[in-house]
Amino acid sequence: MNNKLITLIAASKHWVSDQSHITQFERYEGELSHKKFARRLVDLYRADANLFAQVSQKWVAGFEIEFYLAPEQIGLFAQSIDQIMPRDQVLLVSLEQVPKTDGKNFYLIAERTGCPPAGLQSYELVSPKLDPLSLIYYLHAFCKKLKQFDAQDAQDIGFHLHFSTEGCGRLSPLAVVYCLDQAGLLSFKSRKFSRDIVSQLFDYQPEDWAFIFKRVLKKNYSINFLDFANNNHFELRALGGKGYLFDSKNNPADYALRCLLALTAALTLSDKKLAKLIQQQYSLDKRLVKLNQVDYATLESKPKSTIWRACF
């Protein structure tokens, strides 16, 4: 032990804080003791122990919650959040723009999202990277606070979940889409402005998938894969719309846990098994029309619902 202490003391001479950049922000320091925070996490785990035991610890998660609130309430709302954060956590408040941070703290910003009712303003609460259990804890706790402050939602705002992997090899985006779709987690009628990624991929024949992934899919689909090359990171944008914040079944916390279970299944799904399942579940019958490979007269007979493209 003595040698270990000597080594650590020597190393401490080169320590540098990674929190110095947050001093420029209005901020609220967590007030929850570590003991109480740990107890709440344990209680949450025990409540759904069978489910949490199935979730892979390889998943790293984060969230963005969009909501409407009266501007005069936002200060009190921000102040109340420190009661549910442990003492090593901080909420940064920047109501003008997204804070330039390292992704280790929560932040709250004003947004221009949606069309807030008279007297209300759009806001977004954004998390740092979280482990699966902390993700569910914070979603439960924050939504409870939002309800206490009479926050509102609507068709034109929603909820974004970020997932990536740690200590894991490359994952097929097809496995992600398949497992989330089969769990019923990608389609909500009340969600506006998110395009259906399932039909965009699985209506088409497999040889067209690479082009669709690279050139067609963008941020406005129910899954945003633009950063997938970075530790399998993607943004799930399917949940939202009127009533999403406080829905009895598809509220953010319950939805996130179901997503974690589905994505854990995706990690263990072999390519051979996935191929068989996709063939069984989807039509795969549309084809891209490559405009430099057909004469103009032939276009008359092509399905107008498919993708027409130049292949340069």
Side-chain angles (χ1 to χ4, degrees), residues 197-238:
I197 196 171
V198 178
S199 62
Q200 187 66 89
L201 274 174
F202 294 148
D203 281 359
Y204 288 84
Q205 296 194 356
E207 51 264 41
D208 296 328
W209 290 345
F211 173 79
I212 294 170
F213 184 86
K214 292 177 181 178
R215 296 290 299 162
V216 178
L217 300 182
K218 297 180 179 68
K219 185 176 181 179
N220 55 348
Y221 282 85
S222 49
I223 303 179
N224 168 13
F225 280 119
L226 295 184
D227 193 35
F228 197 64
N230 180 19
N231 294 319
N232 302 309
H233 173 259
F234 62 93
E235 179 189 29
L236 182 54
R237 303 169 59 86

Side-chain angles (χ1 to χ4, degrees), residues 30-39 83 85-87:
E31 294 291 338
L32 195 62
S33 71
H34 296 297
K35 182 177 181 179
K36 288 183 178 179
F37 180 65
R39 186 176 297 151
Q83 302 165 16
M85 294 191 307
R87 290 174 180 168

Side-chain angles (χ1 to χ4, degrees), residues 63-190:
F63 63 83
E64 304 167 21
I65 299 181
E66 296 174 341
F67 58 94
Y68 297 142
L69 193 67
E72 61 270 20
Q73 288 282 77
I74 198 65
L76 290 174
F77 172 69
Q79 187 175 7
S80 75
I81 289 176
D82 60 19
Q83 302 165 16
I84 59 178
M85 294 191 307
R87 290 174 180 168
D88 60 323
Q89 190 54 262
V90 177
L91 170 71
L92 307 180
V93 180
S94 179
L95 299 183
E96 301 297 329
Q97 60 186 359
V98 176
K100 303 296 184 183
T101 74
D102 55 9
K104 294 183 179 180
N105 298 298
F106 289 90
Y107 64 81
L108 178 65
I109 60 171
E111 281 277 12
R112 296 178 181 175
T113 305
C115 301
L120 301 184
Q121 166 69 47
S122 298
Y123 296 98
E124 185 173 54
L125 181 62
V126 182
S127 82
K129 293 180 180 179
L130 300 168
D131 63 275
L133 186 58
S134 295
L135 171 73
I136 307 304
Y137 164 76
Y138 282 117
L139 288 174
H140 272 302
F142 284 142
C143 285
K144 186 176 180 179
K145 287 290 182 185
L146 287 168
K147 193 168 187 177
Q148 290 174 355
F149 279 82
D150 296 320
Q152 296 184 29
D153 52 30
Q155 283 188 334
D156 46 4
I157 59 174
F159 174 58
H160 305 157
L161 273 172
H162 290 262
F163 291 105
S164 59
T165 55
E166 190 173 73
C168 181
R170 299 301 303 152
L171 178 65
S172 170
L174 302 170
V176 171
V177 175
Y178 175 82
C179 289
L180 288 172
D181 184 43
Q182 292 303 301
L185 298 167
L186 290 181
S187 180
F188 297 92
K189 291 182 179 179
S190 62

Side-chain angles (χ1 to χ4, degrees), residues 222-291:
S222 49
I223 303 179
N224 168 13
F225 280 119
L226 295 184
D227 193 35
F228 197 64
N230 180 19
N231 294 319
N232 302 309
H233 173 259
F234 62 93
E235 179 189 29
L236 182 54
R237 303 169 59 86
L239 184 65
K242 183 66 176 177
Y244 92 90
L245 280 174
F246 313 120
D247 186 273
S248 59
K249 181 180 179 182
N250 288 314
N251 60 75
D254 291 343
Y255 176 76
L257 181 54
R258 291 164 60 203
C259 288
L260 285 163
L261 293 168
L263 292 171
T264 296
L267 289 176
T268 60
L269 197 56
S270 70
D271 295 350
K272 183 177 180 180
K273 179 67 172 178
L274 178 60
K276 182 178 179 180
L277 292 171
I278 289 175
Q279 281 184 297
Q280 291 173 346
Q281 296 292 329
Y282 303 102
S283 60
L284 311 179
D285 57 359
K286 288 184 180 179
R287 293 296 304 268
L288 298 183
V289 175
K290 299 179 181 179
L291 294 177

